[in-house]
Amino acid sequence: MRKILVVGGGYAGFYTAWRLEKKLRRGEAEVVVVDPRPYMTYQPFLPEVVAGSVEARHAAVSLRRNLRHTKIVSGMVTGISHADKTVTIRPAQGEDYTMTYDVIAVTAGAVTRTFDVPGVAERAIGMKHVEEAVAIRDRLFTAFDEAAGLEPGPRRRKLLTITFVGGGFSGVEGMAELLSLARALLKKYPELSESDLAFHLVEASGRILPEVSDKPGAWVVKLFEKRGAVVHLNTTMTSAADGHVVLSDGSEFDSELIVWTAGNAATRLLRNHTDLPHNERGLVQVRADLRIGTADEVVPDAWAAGDDAAVPDLASGTGYTVPNAQNAVRQGKVLARNLLRSLRGREPKNYVHHSLGSIATLGLGTGIFQYKRIVIKGVLAWLMHRGYHVLAVPTWDRKMRVLAIWLVAFVYGRDIVSLASVQSPREAFAAEAGSRVLGTGQSETSTTVAAAHTRPVT
């Protein structure tokens, strides 16, 4: 059997392997997926995870549960040498090792694009993974709890000031959902008022939501301003040191929570650790049929799709396909079909996808949808958003769980329990164990704590 190695288990990688499992004949090929995470993140649900409208686990699709005939390798591909068809894998534990393959499909996705802004690496949090969305939600809850015990002043103001950097779909939806949640939380905190909240959206260009036209984008800005948020257009963040935000438009304020959603960038693997051809942005150079190469030259047995691939956009006739969920999912399915055609001696087909439109959630009960010149706003767009994504999320298991959560929330409201302590689960235990040891006159070192549990105290 030939070994098909899929690098990355995100949208494109998951759908490639999932479709191959269904279509491969017995003994025709072995499929191997390498990814450091044991699940595929359904990223359109992350804003609703932030708002508590979707449970974190329901936005994650287990690789092992759904790819039953695929070998799952837990680790990160740190190097690709296609000349000798080997990859270097770094597991969570142990030394790096190499793995050979016959055919490679590079679907490693992208990473959050960052800039050398002081304080961002230390203070900001991204919104590409489930863990980040949960942390954003829990930090807001913690900020409310702490602020409720403080008198009005700089510390309270900082706790309740939230900054989103990036006006694309992730930033706009994330801020809209978190703002909606924060305004709803005020009903549970009589010590706080709407004037205590401060939300800022920072966008380097002159508009937000570049996937929609100017008027719908301007409508979203007015919606944010009506809810009390501040949108800084044509503005960049110049510093966030110690949580003190400085913007290029002259604004300065303290912000406890900074969420960075300023676009995507190629992974270090593709920029520096592969002999596969890539463009000036670090994306793998891909033909319209998803084979790696150029119009004149094809790299044998090498394919790519998703956010890490520069796929020609045949639908528009110019540029490359937009790195979004619509393209990643459909490219994964086409990649699987083309791999099968190649294995069976047939020519692959080109990827052509005409956009189904753009849709975004803007908080509970509000959304926006645009398809060409058709624009729908408000509750109907919000219902369309939920309907589309509950159908689009893979597996019936996840569809039913998400739908059940939404129905329960419709009756009882969103769950506002914070589990921020899960980020330091041993803190309470360690504090109690340490206090017991100190009470016996022993030292506070971990070795003495361990010894106190294994010998009688005199």
Side-chain angles (χ1 to χ4, degrees):
M1 288 193 298
R2 305 192 76 190
K3 180 188 289 186
I4 301 173
L5 180 66
V6 181
V7 180
Y11 280 123
F14 175 83
Y15 278 94
T16 297
W18 205 24
R19 184 60 61 92
L20 284 173
E21 277 198 351
K22 296 177 180 179
K23 301 297 182 181
L24 280 170
R25 300 166 185 153
R26 184 184 296 274
E28 189 172 16
E30 175 191 13
V31 181
V32 179
V33 173
V34 183
D35 196 281
R37 286 181 169 82
Y39 56 82
M40 183 270 281
T41 302
Y42 190 72
Q43 292 186 355
F45 277 158
L46 293 188
E48 298 208 49
V49 172
V50 165
S53 299
V54 170
E55 286 295 322
R57 285 184 176 85
H58 300 167
V61 179
S62 171
L63 298 181
R64 293 187 182 274
R65 177 171 181 172
N66 295 287
L67 301 180
R68 299 176 183 176
H69 305 293
T70 297
K71 181 179 179 181
I72 307 297
V73 176
S74 180
M76 178 182 293
V77 174
T78 58
I80 300 174
S81 176
H82 192 65
D84 53 10
K85 292 190 175 181
T86 63
V87 295
T88 303
I89 298 174
R90 178 168 297 163
Q93 301 289 335
E95 300 293 326
D96 293 5
Y97 63 94
T98 60
M99 177 183 290
T100 60
Y101 61 84
D102 297 298
V103 179
I104 191 168
V106 182
T107 57
V111 295
T112 301
R113 182 178 58 184
T114 58
F115 304 95
D116 190 19
V117 179
V120 166
E122 297 78 18
R123 300 286 306 190
I125 183 170
M127 208 176 78
K128 286 185 71 68
H129 304 292
V130 173
E131 301 92 336
E132 293 172 324
V134 172
I136 292 169
R137 181 190 66 194
D138 287 345
R139 288 187 187 186
L140 181 73
F141 288 147
T142 300
F144 265 74
D145 288 333
E146 293 178 1
L150 296 173
E151 294 296 323
R155 181 55 186 158
R156 176 194 272 194
R157 190 159 50 249
K158 180 178 181 179
L159 283 168
L160 297 180
T161 299
I162 291 87
T163 305
F164 277 76
V165 182
F169 267 93
S170 294
V172 169
E173 289 189 304
M175 177 161 143
E177 289 290 341
L178 199 65
L179 177 57
S180 174
L181 174 61
R183 288 161 60 90
L185 282 176
L186 288 174
K187 300 176 183 177
K188 308 296 182 182
Y189 290 84
E191 306 90 341
L192 305 175
S193 67
E194 195 166 326
S195 62
D196 291 314
L197 288 178
F199 275 74
H200 296 264
L201 177 63
V202 183
E203 168 55 38
S205 69
R207 50 168 300 184
I208 62 174
L209 295 178
E211 292 86 351
V212 303
S213 56
D214 290 344
K215 286 187 178 180
W219 178 81
V220 176
V221 171
K222 290 180 180 178
L223 179 68
F224 278 143
E225 292 173 344
K226 184 178 178 180
R227 294 176 179 178
V230 180
V231 179
H232 305 265
L233 299 177
N234 295 309
T235 304
T236 58
M237 179 180 286
T238 59
S239 177
D242 297 323
H244 182 70
V245 174
V246 180
L247 304 180
S248 62
D249 65 359
S251 303
E252 292 190 35
F253 49 87
D254 291 329
S255 180
E256 183 68 20
L257 176 57
I258 300 171
V259 183
W260 190 274
T261 62
N264 296 325
T267 65
R268 289 190 297 273
L269 165 68
L270 301 178
R271 293 196 305 266
N272 304 313
H273 303 288
T274 179
D275 56 356
L276 294 171
H278 54 270
N279 64 12
E280 65 281 357
R281 294 173 53 202
L283 303 177
V284 180
Q285 190 64 54
V286 177
R287 294 159 51 94
D289 58 13
L290 304 183
R291 287 184 291 181
I292 295 177
T294 64
D296 301 321
E297 185 178 0
V298 176
V299 178
D301 300 322
W303 306 72
D307 291 354
D308 64 356
V311 181
D313 188 354
L314 298 185
S316 67
T318 59
Y320 301 112
T321 56
V322 178
N324 60 19
Q326 277 191 42
N327 281 313
V329 169
R330 286 161 179 78
Q331 286 173 13
K333 294 177 180 179
V334 172
L335 177 53
R337 288 197 295 268
N338 281 348
L339 279 168
L340 288 169
R341 294 177 69 88
S342 178
L343 286 173
R344 296 166 185 173
R346 300 164 65 189
E347 284 297 311
K349 293 186 176 181
N350 289 341
Y351 171 76
V352 184
H353 171 61
H354 297 277
S355 174
L356 302 177
S358 300
I359 192 165
T361 175
L362 300 173
L364 201 61
T366 308
I368 187 167
F369 166 78
Q370 181 174 15
Y371 176 70
K372 297 182 179 179
R373 295 185 179 182
I374 301 172
V375 178
I376 301 174
K377 307 170 186 174
V379 176
L380 178 58
W382 178 73
L383 290 172
M384 291 170 63
H385 177 274
R386 288 203 160 184
Y388 171 78
H389 284 299
V390 80
L391 292 174
V393 66
T395 78
W396 281 101
D397 161 55
R398 285 296 177 262
K399 297 180 197 295
M400 293 298 102
R401 291 179 188 272
V402 169
L403 189 58
I405 288 292
W406 283 342
L407 292 175
V408 170
F410 179 77
V411 177
Y412 295 104
R414 288 182 288 204
D415 197 333
I416 62 169
V417 175
S418 171
L419 295 178
S421 59
V422 76
Q423 298 173 41
S424 52
R426 293 192 64 256
E427 187 173 341
F429 173 79
E432 179 63 21
S435 67
R436 288 180 180 276
V437 174
L438 290 174
T440 64
Q442 304 293 329
S443 70
E444 201 175 355
T445 64
S446 59
T447 53
T448 305
V449 171
H453 290 276
T454 57
R455 66 170 183 263
V457 179
T458 57

